[in-house]
Amino acid sequence: SAPAGLLHPQTLQASSQNSSLGIFVLGLPFALVQSGYVGLVLLVLSAWVCNHTGRTLVSCLYEEEMSGGSGSVSKVRVRTSYQDIMEACCKGLWPNWSGVGGLMVNVAQVIELLMTCTLYLLVSTSLLFDSLSWVAVPRSVCSLVSLVFLLPCLLLTDLRPVSTLSLLCSLAHILISLLVMLYCLSCASSWSWSSLSLSVDPEDFLVSVGVIIFSYTSQIFLPPLEGSMEDRGQFNIMLGWTHGAACIMKTMFSLLAVLTWGPETSEVITDNLPSDLRPLVNLCLLAKAQLSYPLPFYAAAEILQTCVLRAVSRPALVVRGALLMTSYLLALLVPRFSLLMGLTGSVTGAAMTLILPCLFHLRLQWSRLTVKDRLIDVGILSLGVICSVSGVICSVKRLLEGL
């Protein structure tokens, strides 16, 4: 997520995998309840759209150049990061807009990473609170305990060991998801399709759109990830298989959970598990959430220290401490997991995943695009703007009502 060179390829791989099959999948069943049958279509459509925008974003890293003697055209990688693409797109529009565009991308990345950290902390608090329900520990205490366990993040200087652990945690999360799905299959005799409906509340639906979009966000990791590949020609194939597998997993997981628990589906699906199974699953997910937190935290801190605050002399520890406390305060102020996830998806998720990649593609490669390509980009861009604006309004409204 940081500019190229800030993160190790192994870290990028773990970050990208966390984005595709992360702990935020736990909020998808609740989003599906809120969006009904249309939500099923959205889960599949979002995978295709995010795969398309991921490919178009990476294509903007390249420019066509004529070979010396043969006259053949070859693609040359002239950019390395999301920021480079933004600066190239803004060049020539207005004096100094190139630098402003790059700064805007970095700020958007920090916001998305900060919201991701907050969501991890929020999930940790919920899981810990549920695990300690038998001793009636206040939720605020659980949040503080979760923060204490994250204090070592302030001293992180190298994320390679953590990225390996995060990769293993992702595999563990897949196993836990399969366990939940097996439990749902064991309850097949009580399933009811009436849990899904064609008529849904418009505000609930728009918040759910943000949740679904956020579950697929990984575009900020793609440019440096593609640059770290030994065979970059396989990138599109890799991206297609990744989004296809994620789509199947998320759709099956969400549908089975909704059929099993119906309107009683919780914002974090593990809250619906029976008392004899829930503690073990919650503790495993708690460990995963805690071990996943350092990845977005480290990336956000690196962007702040290297790009946004490079003109200000501040110790790294102060920047990281402020980042950690900000995520903690946000988790206290916004205790609704689904609303915060929906708001993040509507703001930075839609912008970084849907809107900007299409703008970049149209701006930088207009002359090489077919009419079909242009129409697809304009269609995705328009839907992204509509979903972003309406999703933000509904999410903020619900959040203010809950305060």
Side-chain angles (χ1 to χ4, degrees), residues 120-130 139 142-143 146:
Y120 277 129
L121 188 53
L122 196 55
V123 170
S124 297
T125 301
S126 298
L127 294 171
L128 187 61
F129 179 73
D130 186 73
R139 189 180 181 88
C142 293
S143 182
S146 298

Side-chain angles (χ1 to χ4, degrees), residues 75-157:
K75 290 185 177 181
V76 179
R77 199 174 196 267
V78 297
R79 305 176 188 99
T80 59
S81 67
Y82 207 121
Q83 181 183 357
D84 290 344
I85 300 174
M86 183 67 167
E87 291 177 351
C89 191
C90 292
K91 188 176 295 184
L93 293 179
W94 197 264
N96 299 323
W97 264 45
S98 178
V100 172
L103 178 63
M104 289 173 59
V105 166
N106 283 324
V107 170
Q109 290 183 53
V110 170
I111 293 174
E112 181 165 327
L113 291 165
L114 176 61
M115 292 300 102
T116 302
C117 291
T118 303
L119 285 164
Y120 277 129
L121 188 53
L122 196 55
V123 170
S124 297
T125 301
S126 298
L127 294 171
L128 187 61
F129 179 73
D130 186 73
S131 300
L132 299 178
S133 58
W134 57 280
V135 292
V137 177
R139 189 180 181 88
S140 57
V141 174
C142 293
S143 182
L144 185 60
V145 171
S146 298
L147 176 69
V148 170
F149 279 107
L150 294 173
L151 289 178
C153 292
L154 298 176
L155 306 177
L156 279 176
T157 57

Side-chain angles (χ1 to χ4, degrees), residues 172-219:
H173 181 71
I174 293 175
L175 293 176
I176 291 172
S177 299
L178 291 175
L179 180 62
V180 174
M181 291 167 66
L182 288 173
Y183 174 81
C184 292
L185 289 171
S186 69
C187 302
S189 59
S190 61
W191 284 356
S192 174
W193 286 92
S194 62
S195 304
L196 293 173
S197 174
L198 286 173
S199 59
V200 294
D201 182 89
E203 291 187 2
D204 289 338
F205 173 76
L206 291 171
V207 173
S208 298
V209 171
V211 172
I212 293 172
I213 291 174
F214 184 72
S215 73
Y216 281 106
T217 54
S218 61
Q219 265 67 359

